[in-house]
Amino acid sequence: MGRIHKLIAATLCLLCFKSFTVDKCAAEAQDIELEAESVDVEKLYENDYDPMKSRIAPKAVPARQVASQSYYISPQRLEQIRAELLYPYFDTDQFRGSGDLQTNINSNNAQLHKNLGFLLPFFGFGFNYTIISLHGHLSFSDGMDYFPAPPLKFPNINWPKENDPSFIAPFYSRCKIGTIGEGESDLKESGVYFRLERDLPGRMDQFGVELRERLKWDIREAMIGAESFIPKHTIIATWKNVTFAGGLPQAIKTTNTFQAVITTDEVRTFAMFNYGYMGWTTHTEAGGDTLTGQGGVPAFVGFNAGNGTRAFQYIPYSQDMRIRDLPWKGWANDKPGRHVFRIDEKVYSGNCFDDESVYKSAPLIFAPESANMMGGILVNVTGPCFTPDKRIMCRFDTQEVVGRYVGPNRAVCVMPRVYAAGYIDLAISIDGGQYAWKGRFYVETPVLAPEMVWFHDLSFHDLYPEKLRIRWDKFNLTMNENAKVSISLWGYKETTLNPDLVFIDQISPEGGINNNGDVTINVADFRARDNGDYLRQFEVGFLHITLQGAENQNLLGISPILWSRPMPIGWYFADQWKRFYGADWAAQKCNAWYEKDTKMRYFANEIPMCPCLLDQAQGDKGRFLPDYECDKEGNAACYYHRGASMCFRSGTANIDGAGQQCCYDIEGKLMMTSDNMWGGNPSRVHNLGLVPWNEQSKVPSLSHWYHDKLPFYTCCLWQDASSDGCAYYRFERRASQDCVGYQPPGAAAVFGDPHFFTFDNLTYTFNGKGEYVLVRSDDERHKIDIQGRFEAVEENMYGSARATVLTAVAAKENSSVPVEVRIRQPYAQWRYRLDVIVDYQPVYFDSHNRRVQNFKGVTVYTPANILNQSHVIIMFSSGAGVEIVENQRHMSARVYLPITFVNHTRGLFGNWSFEHNDDLMLPDASFSVMTDVNNLELLHDNFGMLWNVDDKYHPDKGRSLFFHENDRSSNFYYDATFRPVFFSKPPLPINITSFNSTDIEQTCGTSYQCYYDYAVTLNRQYGTYAKYYFDDIVNIRSKNLRTVISCGNLPVPQNGRKSSFEFTVGTIVKIDCDPGYVLVGEDRRYCWPNGEWSWTSFGAAECVPESVYFAQQGASIFGYVMAAIIPLLCCLLCFCCYQKKTGAKPNPKWNTAKKPSEKTSPITKIEDRPINPKVERTTNVTKPAFTDNFESDSGRGSNHGSKKPSPTSETSQNGSSKSHKSSVIDSSWDSSNSDKDSPLPPNDFPALPPKQSKRRYDGVYYTNEPLKNRPNVSFEKDVLDLDMPPKATVSNSVAV
């Protein structure tokens, strides 16, 4: 009956209203039909109303919902509603309206504007409205001025001269509303439907809950990487029974029915294309048949970002005859005809393809896109269509693993352990075919990857913790919390070329534990273990968690693996080490490391020198980046560097794989291990390792832990800080390097419209349009290119602003990959402010573990506190750095070069020579004839424009490094005819009244850059940011890059402390000792302006134990006393000997000589001894008989002769020997033979006859030593120098 009413109504409409179209009459007929049926809509809601199948829209949601009335959806109901391909759409509602049917859309009015009321992220942009079109798409900007001729090509290369709309197109073609065909079961009216549902997480009504749950699970299962997605808002747009434009009247029943479901959580956005029926492919203007709609160029299927940016054409269906396959291809949710995409930032397809040629245009899609180097993560892949009977192989870099079938558009692979850092290839092979499907997979180092297993506290660092609480991310194993998991301990060491990763012990009970994400183990249970000599050698390891009996735990039959970060395993082995190695096991291990490390290559002299101050380290963008273990904006724990506020690491490894670490205290001063053990340490192995990564001393993170982190435990943390081992570590093997000799980098900047600040402090303005060389160095030592792109400033109220701004920067060094940073379009900055393109691929830094990314020859990172990608730093191996900053669409680029680049730079930043007179150097190394930088026109023509680059290589300028998309080239941006404003202080338009030059001067002060930008653009923001960026580079050069004179490290004595750790000029350091120690040596040191510490007057400072000090003091005092007493005793002894020898009275029994007062001869007559009166007088002393002809010891005798005396001897009755002997006296007194022992002064002797050299006396004298059987000899008397009398004439002596 309804069809008869409809036919009659349509006929009457055409006869009575000839101006009506067929579409209009059909709509009128539908209204007549509804009135004829007179359906009681309210009764339908009271019965078994099913909103997922009914033609009547659900009731409007009340403003306030009651929680007690919340609808619960059962698993059976969810399965039932998910079985449908199309999402619900309604052609009527409770008010007898048209429901979702947009009756205002027809052939005369093809589109309708809709406000969304929320932010819809799409292709990098963010929109809060949409435009639904009859022609099979949802757009977000003004459409094209005309329907373009096929084939359609997006983005529009003629933008901005022509519109380039942003749209989502399930079927972009010229359409009109058709009619329901014969045999269709869905009797909803033909036309375009639009339904908007907001705030789904808070909905409690039946339709809201069912729609949310259906969307959630459809997206999660269809799109890899969406496992946590919860839909917040959704759009359901349906084109039911639309036919092609230009067809014959009988073609009105040749129709298509398709649907676009757009859902978002305002961060991620997904699009679902459902194709119910496809009857035609091409409208007549595109070459389609007027009756069947086949042939020609079919419809466009895909997405366009708009504004000349990016587009995604759904290959192989879009504008191809295979578009007819859409209703039975795709296989999202195992449903033919469903195709799912992620479209918020970049378009990713969640669909499978069985066309072998698609892999060339559609990359492999996988999630997650990054994982820990240790492996074990389940990686879901989408690309080729899978079947259960085909063998799936996944290749991570060079390692192959077998994949598992999940569904037609999904397979899963368990990532193997891949020793690498950065991007690698992930490829898929089907049944032994080529690895044609490829994508870029990012490998994270173990210390930077997200923690999947961690400890509740820091007790695992200790040797004897009582308990350890272990936690893990349970849902990364399985959603089943009752599944059993196994926890084991693994060890790592490097003793051969290939590192060892070995299973040590099972930590969990044999039966496993529940997957609840939390367990506490009793460490005492492992202390009695004996793992053998080999396993006891391991000192660093991991916790390893996996499902126990994975074949029964999940549907895949395989288990992911969760790894902890590297950790010391002394808590497990400490008791064994003590039992088998002794109580000093830590010292033994430290000594073994010391001996091994001393035999390895010395590396500390080949790494960057640490800056003296924190400000300097922050300013050295090319060489140092914040340390992941001690960053006040990130991980501020600083466990290994206690007391530090910030640490920095060298951004890239040197040629040997080593790296530098510099830590700074709360005052911003460099911390040294010579002061305490928490200072920064140079690293034998950088965290990034070194290619090839699979060899010892080159493995990312693990080699660094083994060679640099682990010794800190065995030498310091597990021993006393004052131990010899810790001293080896702190002062010798991993000693902090002071900043003596550190040279800050040079810096140059470009900002504003645009203004240049060269390395030599020259400032000028150049408004070129195109791509230009900022810095170029091309010699044997340095090869680097840094380029900038400058585009026209947006027009102001008076038209063109006649100025340019910096919009992109590209850089490349030696063999590194190129890096480009560009500013995003205004509507695309809702999430990311800048685009980063590395090796012509976009990269993102929106997660903590991806904040620092490493590529071939370059490291790119964003600061930890930057979440919108508005601040990007590029670091090259040479130490060169590029910093790009964006604020409110105002971009500035700063370049930092180490001092080795002096006299090696060219470009708009000048020749860095510390003389700005040679900055205006031309590409051919000649100097510009233009010397006045204030003459902007000559500067523009004779210098700036000559540094333009294009896609063709030039030996002096290189070639463009920028990524030119959409068939563009460098010439697209270049305009040689562009003439900017050439006034340093541009005049304002005559008719402007909103501000004047005085207002500009108040804003800008003395900054001519600010005045220029404000006056040219007539926009105050341009001026203020020009001033901000100029002040910023001036402050950076004066503060962060200033030269600091350092006196170097002043070592603190063992068991001592310094009053200050500073070492800059003017520092006074006082040295004290710990209690129980006494300071010996200089206690104060001064840092002089010449960079040297003051000299020590009392010796180097040393802290001596009090007992040792007092013992030394006692010994010193004793020494002083003895030093004074011994000479006195010696003198006394000598005096006594002297007295005994010459001054003592002779025995009266022997000596009867007269007293000296009687003035007798010094040789006195001995009583009762006969004297020979004939004595020869001589100057030589007669030798004793037993000396033969030898000279005397003194050697003073001038002529001893060969004649021996003839003594006579007699023996007295009492046994005493009596003899008569010659007594000889020197004939003259002088300094060489004066006789101090004479009892009389020399002048008492009688004068000798002149020229008489010898005189001899015969006689006998005694030495006062009466000896029995004494020989009959004479003794020579030697005169001592100290006893010599003044020179005098000696009188003749008379022998008695």
Side-chain angles (χ1 to χ4, degrees):
M1 187 68 180
R3 292 186 181 274
I4 296 176
H5 282 298
K6 184 185 296 185
L7 180 60
I8 295 173
T11 303
L12 291 174
C13 178
L14 289 172
L15 292 174
C16 300
F17 305 96
K18 297 184 183 297
S19 61
F20 278 25
T21 63
V22 175
D23 294 340
K24 182 70 174 178
C25 290
E28 294 292 333
Q30 293 168 2
D31 292 339
I32 294 172
E33 180 186 11
L34 283 176
E35 292 177 3
E37 292 179 355
S38 301
V39 178
D40 189 355
V41 178
E42 289 296 331
K43 290 184 180 180
L44 294 177
Y45 289 110
E46 297 174 0
N47 299 327
D48 294 334
Y49 172 71
D50 188 347
M52 291 295 169
K53 295 182 178 180
S54 176
R55 296 175 60 180
I56 304 174
K59 290 183 179 181
V61 180
R64 181 175 295 178
Q65 302 182 68
V66 181
S68 60
Q69 299 176 356
S70 177
Y71 173 79
Y72 170 76
I73 182 172
S74 66
Q76 295 78 14
R77 172 63 177 172
L78 180 61
E79 182 179 359
Q80 176 188 1
I81 62 177
R82 290 188 61 200
E84 300 293 332
L85 175 66
L86 298 179
Y87 273 67
Y89 58 98
F90 311 97
D91 59 355
T92 187
D93 55 30
Q94 67 186 99
F95 304 108
R96 298 178 182 271
S98 57
D100 300 337
L101 181 64
Q102 305 301 303
T103 56
N104 293 331
I105 293 181
N106 50 61
S107 297
N108 293 329
N109 182 31
Q111 62 185 26
L112 195 64
H113 186 280
K114 295 288 185 179
N115 290 320
L116 299 180
F118 58 86
L119 180 70
L120 178 69
F122 170 62
F123 228 149
F125 294 86
F127 301 100
N128 59 6
Y129 70 93
T130 188
I131 301 171
I132 185 169
S133 172
L134 172 63
H135 301 309
H137 65 272
L138 293 165
S139 62
F140 303 95
S141 59
D142 293 336
M144 303 184 71
D145 299 330
Y146 59 93
F147 203 95
L152 303 182
K153 187 173 179 58
F154 297 101
N156 187 355
I157 60 175
N158 295 320
W159 182 88
K161 296 179 181 179
E162 298 177 0
N163 287 341
D164 183 33
S166 175
F167 62 80
I168 298 171
F171 195 88
Y172 191 167
S173 184
R174 296 203 66 173
C175 306
K176 65 179 183 179
I177 297 175
T179 60
I180 299 175
E182 296 292 338
E184 286 192 43
S185 59
D186 187 357
L187 300 180
K188 297 186 182 72
E189 299 299 327
S190 301
V192 179
Y193 291 77
F194 181 88
R195 185 167 191 84
L196 176 65
E197 294 288 344
R198 290 190 289 257
D199 303 319
L200 291 175
R203 295 278 290 274
M204 292 179 285
D205 59 292
Q206 179 182 356
F207 182 72
V209 172
E210 290 185 347
L211 180 62
R212 180 188 69 226
E213 293 303 306
R214 181 179 178 181
L215 276 170
K216 180 176 73 175
W217 290 107
D218 280 352
I219 295 298
R220 286 184 177 185
E221 293 182 3
M223 195 73 202
I224 58 175
E227 289 77 9
S228 61
F229 176 73
I230 297 177
K232 187 175 181 181
H233 315 291
T234 190
I235 300 168
I236 304 175
T238 308
W239 289 262
K240 183 178 186 300
N241 295 121
V242 294
T243 187
F244 57 93
L248 297 176
Q250 56 266 40
I252 197 171
K253 292 185 179 181
T254 303
T255 63
N256 294 342
T257 296
F258 53 90
Q259 184 182 69
V261 180
I262 316 298
T263 184
T264 182
D265 59 2
E266 296 190 88
V267 175
R268 292 172 291 179
T269 303
F270 298 91
M272 180 189 301
F273 293 169
N274 297 317
Y275 296 93
Y277 177 76
M278 192 70 64
W280 61 276
T281 62
T282 316
H283 64 90
T284 58
E285 292 181 7
D289 185 80
T290 57
L291 182 61
T292 63
Q294 303 293 332
V297 180
F300 179 92
V301 180
F303 309 86
N304 186 39
N307 289 359
T309 54
R310 296 175 289 172
F312 177 89
Q313 186 172 196
Y314 190 27
I315 303 295
Y317 309 110
S318 177
Q319 302 190 103
D320 189 278
M321 296 309 298
R322 284 171 286 188
I323 197 171
R324 293 193 297 264
D325 298 342
L326 286 173
W328 57 83
K329 291 293 182 69
W331 290 101
N333 302 127
D334 294 341
K335 289 183 174 60
R338 176 167 291 178
H339 305 255
V340 178
F341 309 86
R342 180 176 173 179
I343 61 173
D344 48 272
E345 178 58 35
K346 181 181 177 181
V347 176
Y348 299 93
S349 171
N351 316 302
C352 76
F353 303 90
D354 53 12
D355 191 310
E356 296 180 356
S357 64
V358 176
Y359 70 86
K360 297 179 181 179
S361 57
L364 184 70
I365 306 299
F366 45 82
E369 296 178 338
S370 62
N372 191 334
M373 179 189 78
M374 299 301 295
I377 297 298
L378 290 181
V379 179
N380 294 276
V381 295
T382 294
C385 289
F386 304 108
T387 57
D389 59 335
K390 291 184 178 180
R391 184 165 60 95
I392 305 168
M393 295 297 297
C394 303
R395 186 175 68 189
F396 293 82
D397 197 14
T398 59
Q399 300 190 50
E400 297 180 345
V401 293
V402 178
R404 295 293 184 96
Y405 171 84
V406 179
N409 68 337
R410 179 181 294 200
V412 64
C413 305
V414 178
M415 176 188 171
R417 185 166 61 254
V418 180
Y419 287 144
Y423 285 96
I424 62 171
D425 285 338
L426 171 56
I428 296 293
S429 170
I430 305 296
D431 272 351
Q434 294 183 349
Y435 285 91
W437 292 85
K438 295 181 180 180
R440 295 201 313 164
F441 188 83
Y442 192 81
V443 179
E444 302 160 339
T445 64
V447 298
L448 293 179
E451 282 190 283
M452 297 295 182
V453 182
W454 65 96
F455 290 93
H456 182 70
D457 53 31
L458 299 176
S459 58
F460 70 95
H461 294 285
D462 302 333
L463 291 174
Y464 302 102
E466 182 179 352
K467 296 180 182 298
L468 288 178
R469 184 180 176 186
I470 303 171
R471 307 186 67 181
W472 65 93
D473 191 341
K474 56 187 177 182
F475 295 125
N476 271 304
L477 289 174
T478 177
M479 300 300 292
N480 180 12
E481 296 188 26
N482 294 321
K484 298 297 182 180
V485 300
S486 173
I487 305 177
S488 56
L489 178 66
W490 291 62
Y492 177 87
K493 69 182 180 72
E494 297 180 1
T495 54
T496 61
L497 181 63
N498 298 318
D500 296 329
L501 183 64
V502 178
F503 170 83
I504 294 178
D505 198 359
Q506 190 75 21
I507 301 299
S508 59
E510 184 176 352
I513 57 176
N514 289 337
N515 181 39
N516 56 13
D518 195 340
V519 67
T520 300
I521 64 172
N522 188 2
V523 181
D525 296 340
F526 307 100
R527 290 179 178 166
R529 300 283 175 93
D530 181 0
N531 298 93
D533 292 336
Y534 175 70
L535 293 181
R536 275 194 294 272
Q537 299 175 21
F538 289 88
E539 300 163 9
V540 60
F542 304 84
L543 285 181
H544 170 284
I545 301 181
T546 186
L547 290 174
Q548 194 172 55
E551 62 278 2
N552 301 320
Q553 302 284 357
N554 59 23
L555 298 177
L556 297 175
I558 55 177
S559 172
I561 300 173
L562 305 184
W563 292 91
S564 69
R565 287 182 175 174
M567 64 176 182
I569 53 179
W571 57 269
Y572 179 88
F573 277 118
D575 282 283
Q576 291 190 53
W577 291 336
K578 186 176 181 180
R579 288 199 310 269
F580 290 93
Y581 302 144
D584 62 341
W585 59 265
Q588 295 179 38
K589 289 183 174 293
C590 179
N591 293 337
W593 165 79
Y594 176 82
E595 293 179 3
K596 180 180 177 181
D597 198 68
T598 53
K599 296 176 182 178
M600 301 178 73
R601 179 187 177 94
Y602 186 68
F603 66 92
N605 59 336
E606 297 178 353
I607 55 179
M609 187 74 68
C610 278
C612 297
L613 305 175
L614 175 62
D615 292 337
Q616 290 180 306
Q618 291 174 329
D620 200 338
K621 303 294 185 182
R623 288 179 284 194
F624 295 98
L625 56 79
D627 190 352
Y628 51 86
E629 291 182 341
C630 186
D631 182 2
K632 62 183 179 183
E633 303 295 344
N635 178 15
C638 301
Y639 178 81
Y640 300 102
H641 308 285
R642 300 173 193 177
S645 64
M646 190 83 173
C647 289
F648 291 83
R649 287 188 182 271
S650 49
T652 57
N654 72 353
I655 193 172
D656 294 319
Q660 180 64 280
Q661 184 189 46
C662 312
C663 294
Y664 300 87
D665 60 20
I666 58 175
E667 295 182 347
K669 306 298 191 305
L670 182 65
M671 296 173 60
M672 307 290 293
T673 54
S674 57
D675 297 327
N676 57 62
M677 66 181 186
W678 308 113
N681 309 110
S683 302
R684 178 173 295 281
V685 184
H686 195 281
N687 178 61
L688 300 178
L690 192 68
V691 177
W693 288 296
N694 59 348
E695 296 180 359
Q696 65 171 342
S697 301
K698 298 180 181 180
V699 182
S701 289
L702 303 190
S703 292
H704 171 64
W705 249 88
Y706 184 77
H707 289 281
D708 301 302
K709 275 283 190 291
L710 185 60
F712 183 64
Y713 284 89
T714 57
C715 295
C716 291
L717 291 182
W718 292 345
Q719 295 193 64
D720 189 83
S722 59
S723 66
D724 292 340
C726 195
Y728 295 154
Y729 185 89
R730 290 173 51 194
F731 295 98
E732 183 178 347
R733 305 315 303 169
R734 295 297 182 268
S736 301
Q737 295 183 346
D738 58 28
C739 59
V740 174
Y742 169 75
Q743 292 286 345
V750 58
F751 55 90
D753 285 350
H755 309 287
F756 293 83
F757 195 112
T758 71
F759 292 104
D760 293 329
N761 293 340
L762 178 68
T763 59
Y764 66 90
T765 299
F766 165 65
N767 279 272
K769 188 176 180 183
E771 297 171 355
Y772 294 85
V773 175
L774 298 178
V775 177
R776 176 172 171 81
S777 179
D778 187 18
D779 54 38
E780 293 182 358
R781 186 175 182 183
H782 305 94
K783 292 183 182 296
I784 189 171
D785 286 283
I786 303 174
Q787 301 170 0
R789 178 188 293 162
F790 304 95
E791 299 182 64
V793 175
E794 297 176 356
E795 294 184 352
N796 57 34
M797 66 185 74
Y798 295 95
S800 175
R802 293 176 58 199
T804 59
V805 291
L806 178 70
T807 59
V809 174
K812 183 180 184 297
E813 179 186 72
N814 289 330
S815 60
S816 76
V817 296
V819 181
E820 179 182 345
V821 180
R822 63 172 69 156
I823 196 167
R824 292 168 70 101
Q825 295 287 341
Y827 291 104
Q829 289 190 314
W830 65 273
R831 184 176 182 184
Y832 303 116
R833 309 293 295 183
L834 297 171
D835 274 327
V836 182
I837 302 170
V838 182
D839 200 14
Y840 310 113
Q841 295 289 332
V843 294
Y844 302 95
F845 302 84
D846 52 354
S847 61
H848 178 72
N849 56 304
R850 301 281 291 277
R851 184 175 59 84
V852 180
Q853 298 187 33
N854 309 285
F855 308 88
K856 182 183 178 182
V858 63
T859 297
V860 185
Y861 79 96
T862 59
N865 59 340
I866 300 298
L867 304 178
N868 60 357
Q869 210 162 287
S870 62
H871 189 175
V872 180
I873 295 99
I874 306 168
M875 307 177 70
F876 293 104
S877 300
S878 66
V882 183
E883 180 182 25
I884 299 96
V885 182
E886 187 272 349
N887 282 289
Q888 300 296 319
R889 296 194 53 74
H890 298 275
M891 185 174 174
S892 174
R894 296 188 278 263
V895 176
Y896 303 86
L897 297 180
I899 201 164
T900 55
F901 279 86
V902 171
N903 289 321
H904 292 279
T905 63
R906 306 287 186 271
L908 296 179
F909 283 159
N911 176 34
W912 184 18
S913 63
F914 303 103
E915 293 289 341
H916 63 265
N917 295 329
D918 60 357
D919 275 354
L920 303 183
M921 184 176 287
L922 302 181
D924 60 0
S926 63
F927 292 96
S928 173
V929 297
M930 212 292 299
T931 57
D932 184 9
V933 294
N934 293 318
N935 191 331
L936 301 187
E937 186 171 7
L938 289 178
L939 184 70
H940 180 276
D941 296 335
N942 298 334
F943 173 67
M945 293 299 291
L946 300 180
W947 282 107
N948 171 257
V949 292
D950 56 25
D951 296 315
K952 181 176 64 177
Y953 177 79
H954 188 282
D956 297 324
K957 297 184 291 185
R959 60 176 294 273
S960 175
L961 300 175
F962 292 94
F963 178 38
H964 299 127
E965 303 168 289
N966 309 321
D967 299 330
R968 294 174 182 170
S969 68
S970 59
N971 291 331
F972 177 85
Y973 303 96
Y974 180 64
D975 187 358
T977 63
F978 179 76
R979 306 300 288 177
V981 175
F982 290 126
F983 297 100
S984 297
K985 194 173 182 179
L988 297 176
I990 299 176
N991 55 351
I992 190 169
T993 58
S994 57
F995 59 90
N996 53 37
S997 59
T998 303
D999 297 329
I1000 298 178
E1001 290 174 350
Q1002 289 178 349
T1003 300
C1004 299
T1006 59
S1007 173
Y1008 86 86
Q1009 295 92 347
C1010 173
Y1011 192 102
Y1012 181 94
D1013 292 4
Y1014 198 158
V1016 170
T1017 63
L1018 304 181
N1019 188 327
R1020 184 176 183 271
Q1021 191 177 78
Y1022 276 86
T1024 55
Y1025 273 105
K1027 184 178 186 302
Y1028 167 77
Y1029 284 131
F1030 176 77
D1031 294 342
D1032 203 21
I1033 184 62
V1034 171
N1035 294 335
I1036 287 174
R1037 291 176 64 102
S1038 61
K1039 179 183 178 182
N1040 299 83
L1041 304 182
R1042 71 185 188 275
T1043 300
V1044 176
I1045 298 177
S1046 169
C1047 289
N1049 175 44
L1050 181 63
V1052 62
Q1054 190 174 9
N1055 302 308
R1057 56 189 182 275
K1058 297 189 295 189
S1059 61
S1060 173
F1061 293 146
E1062 296 187 32
F1063 39 76
T1064 53
V1065 174
T1067 300
I1068 302 176
V1069 178
K1070 185 177 183 301
I1071 300 176
D1072 295 310
C1073 292
D1074 296 334
Y1077 293 86
V1078 179
L1079 180 67
V1080 177
E1082 195 77 29
D1083 64 342
R1084 292 179 185 270
R1085 301 291 294 277
Y1086 306 87
C1087 182
W1088 301 122
N1090 63 354
E1092 294 183 357
W1093 289 103
S1094 59
W1095 291 4
T1096 57
S1097 302
F1098 303 103
E1102 182 181 2
C1103 290
V1104 179
E1106 290 181 347
S1107 58
V1108 176
Y1109 174 78
F1110 291 137
Q1112 290 177 349
Q1113 290 297 103
S1116 299
I1117 295 173
F1118 178 76
Y1120 293 146
V1121 172
M1122 295 305 296
I1125 292 177
I1126 290 175
L1128 293 177
L1129 292 176
C1130 291
C1131 293
L1132 182 60
L1133 181 60
C1134 291
F1135 179 76
C1136 293
C1137 292
Y1138 169 77
Q1139 291 295 325
K1140 185 176 181 181
K1141 184 176 181 180
T1142 60
K1145 291 183 179 181
N1147 192 328
K1149 188 175 180 180
W1150 299 339
N1151 190 1
T1152 57
K1154 295 182 180 180
K1155 294 181 180 181
S1157 59
E1158 298 178 1
K1159 297 185 183 290
T1160 58
S1161 172
I1163 304 300
T1164 58
K1165 182 180 178 180
I1166 300 177
E1167 189 177 10
D1168 298 330
R1169 303 279 175 93
I1171 305 269
N1172 185 1
K1174 297 179 180 181
V1175 178
E1176 183 181 359
R1177 193 173 184 183
T1178 180
T1179 59
N1180 289 342
V1181 179
T1182 303
K1183 291 184 178 182
F1186 62 87
T1187 61
D1188 296 331
N1189 293 328
F1190 294 106
E1191 295 180 354
S1192 65
D1193 291 340
S1194 64
R1196 290 174 182 162
S1198 60
N1199 186 9
H1200 296 285
S1202 60
K1203 185 183 292 184
K1204 296 182 182 179
S1206 300
T1208 57
S1209 59
E1210 296 178 357
T1211 304
S1212 59
Q1213 295 177 354
N1214 58 1
S1216 63
S1217 176
K1218 297 181 181 179
S1219 67
H1220 298 277
K1221 195 173 184 179
S1222 300
S1223 178
V1224 181
I1225 299 175
D1226 198 343
S1227 61
S1228 64
W1229 283 87
D1230 55 27
S1231 61
S1232 64
N1233 56 12
S1234 59
D1235 192 355
K1236 180 181 177 181
D1237 294 334
S1238 299
L1240 295 176
N1243 54 6
D1244 290 340
F1245 286 92
L1248 297 175
K1251 298 182 180 180
Q1252 186 174 356
S1253 60
K1254 283 187 178 182
R1255 185 167 295 180
R1256 200 166 185 84
Y1257 296 89
D1258 293 329
V1260 178
Y1261 67 90
Y1262 282 101
T1263 60
N1264 298 323
E1265 296 181 14
L1267 299 175
K1268 186 176 181 181
N1269 300 324
R1270 63 181 176 83
N1272 188 15
V1273 298
S1274 299
F1275 293 92
E1276 178 180 319
K1277 182 175 290 187
D1278 228 356
V1279 181
L1280 299 176
D1281 292 342
L1282 297 177
D1283 299 330
M1284 288 189 299
K1287 287 186 179 181
T1289 303
V1290 182
S1291 59
N1292 293 332
S1293 299
V1294 179
V1296 179

